[in-house]
Amino acid sequence: MQPRNGLKRRVGLSENASFYLLMVPFVSLFFLFTILPVLVSVILSFFSYDTVSMPTFIGFDNFLRMFTEDEVFPKALVNTLKFAVITGPFGFMLSFILGWFINEFSRGFRSFLSFLFYAPALGGGLTLIWSVAFSADSYGYVNNVLMTLGFTTEPIAWFRNETYNTVILMFVQIWGSMGASFLANISGLQNVSQELYEAGALDGIRTRWHELWYITLPSMKSILLFSAVMQIQASFSVGPTITALAGYPSVNNSVDTLVPHLMDVGTARYEMGYAAALSVFLFAMMAITRVLIGKVLDFFGK
Amino acid sequence: MARRAGYKRYTRSTAGNILFFFFLAVAGIFCTLPLIYSVCTAFKPLDELLVFPPRFFVQRPTLENFLQIPALLETLRVPLERYLLNSVFISVVSTVLHIIAASMAAFAFSKSRVKGRTVIFLIIQFSLLYNSTTLGLPQYLIFSGLGMIDTFWVYILPAIPSSMGAFLMKQYMDASIPDTLLDAARIDGAGVFRMYAQLAMPMCKPAWMTLILFSFQSMWSVVPGGTIFKEELKTLPYALSSIAQGGIARAGSAMAATVALMIPTIIVYFVTQSNVMETMSTSGMKD
């Protein structure tokens, strides 16, 4: 909004100049600590660089290598997509639905309930508890219960078993994903105007589902975009949780994903150029997904 | 809640309420099990840690695991209080600076028409999607070029322009601050800075309260990478991580350290989230 004509401004600074000033601290530090390193990384993806000798330019060789020489990459790509397609949308919907349910209750109870769901995201190695639960020996809780009930006589090595490990790890991933998007949804729901709900009730909205569709979701549009981006980021970057529980490389690369692969390439084998190319590839996949999601949200938000 | 009671009758069925509650109770207990297990384990005496078949709950709780922590850390070259102080300092300073910088920028992205704001904002948003693994090396070069290796700056400065914060604040401002309200403020002679501080920030309290939690939590768990060599500049999670390397005999103490480390985050959680929920009653003032 430009100041209207004829209105005298009290401060000497023009409105646009003030807005630029507000941006300066964030944007300048962002440029220095994020944009610059990302640019260096993108440039490195066209080089062969072992962190010791001088980088040598090799054009698109790093990108070709993914599909021609790298045996782990195709498997990691498929696994990453599998995790992204399932945990992403599921986590997105769950983080909204839980926030919406919780919003029904009184204030004190609401912060208690949301804590229950946020607890997995508290960090501090809580994820490792699943390695105790799904431990490969009979000390593991799941094996212990199954053996006591007579479902199995031998303990199952859950994370080394290709039939079970993907499902268990997806489940752990979703369990831990009620973080940023979940709390953002809760804070967004606080902001849906009460007058809208009351007006809706007068206009004949009779069920909570109608209320959700006609009032809550449209008011939440911008927060839902935030939540979607956070879920894209989390679901394509699955890896640290998987590595912590199933190790890297996993049995037959059955649950290896792109992030552990590029970490292995970059920080263990010091092939920084190739690791950068993998990052660029991963980024491209997420960016395309983000653009598509934006189109879908625009379509529903007319 | 009383204010909502009138319309609630129309849109809320009892069957639906019971269904919701049942779903929430089951999911909530399930989500919290690992946290409960951690707390139980932290209070288990050694024989209960090793018992077969494994027990979930603690039978005879003891403080032993917690009391052993200082002794286990005696080998560290710097007293434990120093690590604690470092972590508190880094977390508080980064969080405050991050909230201020991110919300100021978000206000400009959301409510101004200055040139380039859309492009810059899109870059910030998309930067969230770039994996950080390969950024460590260029970041190291930048720190070393600025002479910041082995200073607190390497913790604090990169945390200030965290993309997520500016993104969340911008989306929240888009949804919650009507342009008509800013126009009214302009007619009253308010400048940009006053609109930011006295109008936008109070209305976006739920968003920045949530950001305080995210920022504090991530800074509180920071473990120094290759940019900090001086022991007296390292953090509490780094110091406590040495306990976990002690194997099964120290499993109880390792868990006690984990639980103790989580307490400040949990406190920040309840302080900030109760403020998020509180704003409900005052949000009627807008429009």
Side-chain angles (χ1 to χ4, degrees), chain B residues 74-114:
Chain B
E74 257 173 6
T75 47
L76 292 168
R77 275 183 285 137
V78 178
L80 188 60
E81 302 87 75
R82 179 64 202 237
Y83 297 104
L84 175 68
L85 196 69
N86 290 347
S87 276
V88 170
F89 176 77
I90 293 162
S91 308
V92 172
V93 172
S94 321
T95 300
V96 170
L97 294 179
H98 168 61
I99 303 293
I100 293 172
S103 60
M104 289 196 316
F107 187 57
F109 295 138
S110 176
K111 297 300 168 192
S112 80
R113 284 185 177 171
V114 297

Side-chain angles (χ1 to χ4, degrees), chain A residues 178-190:
Chain A
M178 295 300 107
S181 49
F182 172 63
L183 289 190
N185 281 330
I186 287 186
S187 69
L189 283 165
Q190 306 307 308

Side-chain angles (χ1 to χ4, degrees), chain A residues 1 15 20 33 41 104 114-115 118 121 124 126 139 141 171 187 191 206 208 211 222 286 290, chain B residues 10-12 17 30 37-38 54-55 115 125 128-130 134 139 171-172 176 186 217 258 269 286:
Chain A
M1 292 288 141
E15 185 160 312
Y20 274 124
F33 292 107
S41 168
E104 298 280 304
S114 62
F115 178 73
Y118 188 73
L126 280 185
Y139 274 89
Y141 286 91
F171 159 83
S187 69
N191 206 47
R206 285 293 174 270
R208 68 181 94 206
E211 192 181 279
S222 64
M286 291 200 254
R290 157 68 185 84
Chain B
Y10 295 108
T11 56
R12 297 296 183 266
N17 282 341
F30 178 75
Y37 177 79
S38 305
R55 275 201 210 109
K115 270 212 181 79
Q125 204 192 104
L128 271 168
L129 305 177
Y130 202 91
T134 52
Q139 274 168 348
Q171 298 306 97
Y172 201 88
S176 64
R186 283 189 182 97
Q217 188 183 336
T258 304
Y269 176 91
K286 71 179 194 204

Side-chain angles (χ1 to χ4, degrees), chain A:
Chain A
M1 292 288 141
Q2 301 295 334
R4 290 180 191 162
N5 286 336
L7 274 179
K8 261 271 183 248
R9 307 291 319 280
R10 268 187 225 156
V11 259
L13 220 50
S14 83
E15 185 160 312
N16 278 356
S18 315
F19 273 125
Y20 274 124
L21 266 183
L22 285 182
M23 279 190 216
V24 166
F26 188 92
V27 173
S28 52
L29 288 173
F30 176 73
F31 179 80
L32 189 61
F33 292 107
T34 306
I35 293 304
L36 220 52
V38 168
L39 286 179
V40 171
S41 168
V42 172
I43 292 168
L44 265 185
S45 69
F46 297 99
F47 285 79
S48 169
Y49 181 44
D50 61 3
T51 72
V52 183
S53 38
M54 279 301 283
T56 42
F57 182 76
I58 53 166
F60 283 95
D61 280 6
N62 281 328
F63 294 92
L64 292 175
R65 182 178 157 190
M66 291 176 204
F67 297 96
T68 52
E69 287 169 47
D70 188 339
E71 281 173 11
V72 181
F73 176 79
K75 290 175 185 171
L77 176 61
V78 170
N79 288 335
T80 303
L81 290 174
K82 242 195 272 179
F83 271 91
V85 165
I86 292 173
T87 64
F90 199 79
F92 174 72
M93 284 188 278
L94 200 63
S95 70
F96 177 78
I97 291 171
L98 287 177
W100 183 57
F101 281 9
I102 285 168
N103 207 36
E104 298 280 304
F105 297 94
S106 64
R107 179 156 75 93
F109 197 50
R110 252 186 293 162
S111 41
F112 171 72
L113 274 177
S114 62
F115 178 73
L116 298 186
F117 297 107
Y118 188 73
L122 280 173
L126 280 185
T127 317
L128 289 173
I129 307 298
W130 294 109
S131 68
V132 179
F134 287 103
S135 171
D137 51 31
S138 49
Y139 274 89
Y141 286 91
V142 177
N143 276 328
N144 197 270
V145 169
L146 288 180
M147 288 166 78
T148 313
L149 296 176
F151 283 106
T152 171
T153 45
E154 286 293 302
I156 300 170
W158 299 100
F159 294 114
R160 266 174 273 142
N161 186 315
E162 289 177 57
T163 328
Y164 302 118
N165 59 7
T166 307
V167 177
I168 296 172
L169 288 166
M170 280 181 178
F171 159 83
V172 173
Q173 181 70 24
I174 291 170
W175 163 82
S177 71
M178 295 300 107
S181 49
F182 172 63
L183 289 190
N185 281 330
I186 287 186
S187 69
L189 283 165
Q190 306 307 308
N191 206 47
V192 182
S193 149
Q194 285 307 300
E195 284 79 11
L196 276 181
Y197 285 132
E198 280 153 22
L202 291 176
D203 284 345
I205 286 181
R206 285 293 174 270
T207 69
R208 68 181 94 206
W209 312 104
H210 280 147
E211 192 181 279
L212 171 71
W213 187 254
Y214 292 111
I215 299 171
T216 314
L217 283 176
S219 312
M220 286 286 288
K221 214 184 122 196
S222 64
I223 303 293
L224 287 175
L225 177 70
F226 172 83
S227 164
V229 172
M230 297 316 290
Q231 290 293 344
I232 293 171
Q233 197 254 353
S235 61
F236 277 91
S237 311
V238 284
T241 310
I242 298 175
T243 308
L245 294 174
Y248 182 90
S250 55
V251 176
N252 290 330
N253 307 105
S254 52
V255 285
D256 291 349
T257 51
L258 286 175
V259 168
H261 182 48
L262 80 87
M263 287 169 95
D264 180 53
V265 169
T267 53
R269 290 193 253 151
Y270 298 105
E271 297 184 67
M272 288 313 277
Y274 187 48
L278 287 166
S279 308
V280 171
F281 184 87
L282 183 63
F283 172 75
M285 288 203 301
M286 291 200 254
I288 292 168
T289 313
R290 157 68 185 84
V291 171
L292 292 178
I293 300 272
K295 295 234 185 295
V296 173
L297 284 177
D298 277 349
F299 176 76
F300 281 113
K302 63 190 173 332

Side-chain angles (χ1 to χ4, degrees), chain A residues 1 4, chain B residues 177-185 287:
Chain A
M1 292 288 141
R4 290 180 191 162
Chain B
I177 306 174
D179 290 340
T180 47
L181 200 70
L182 294 184
D183 283 345
D287 271 314

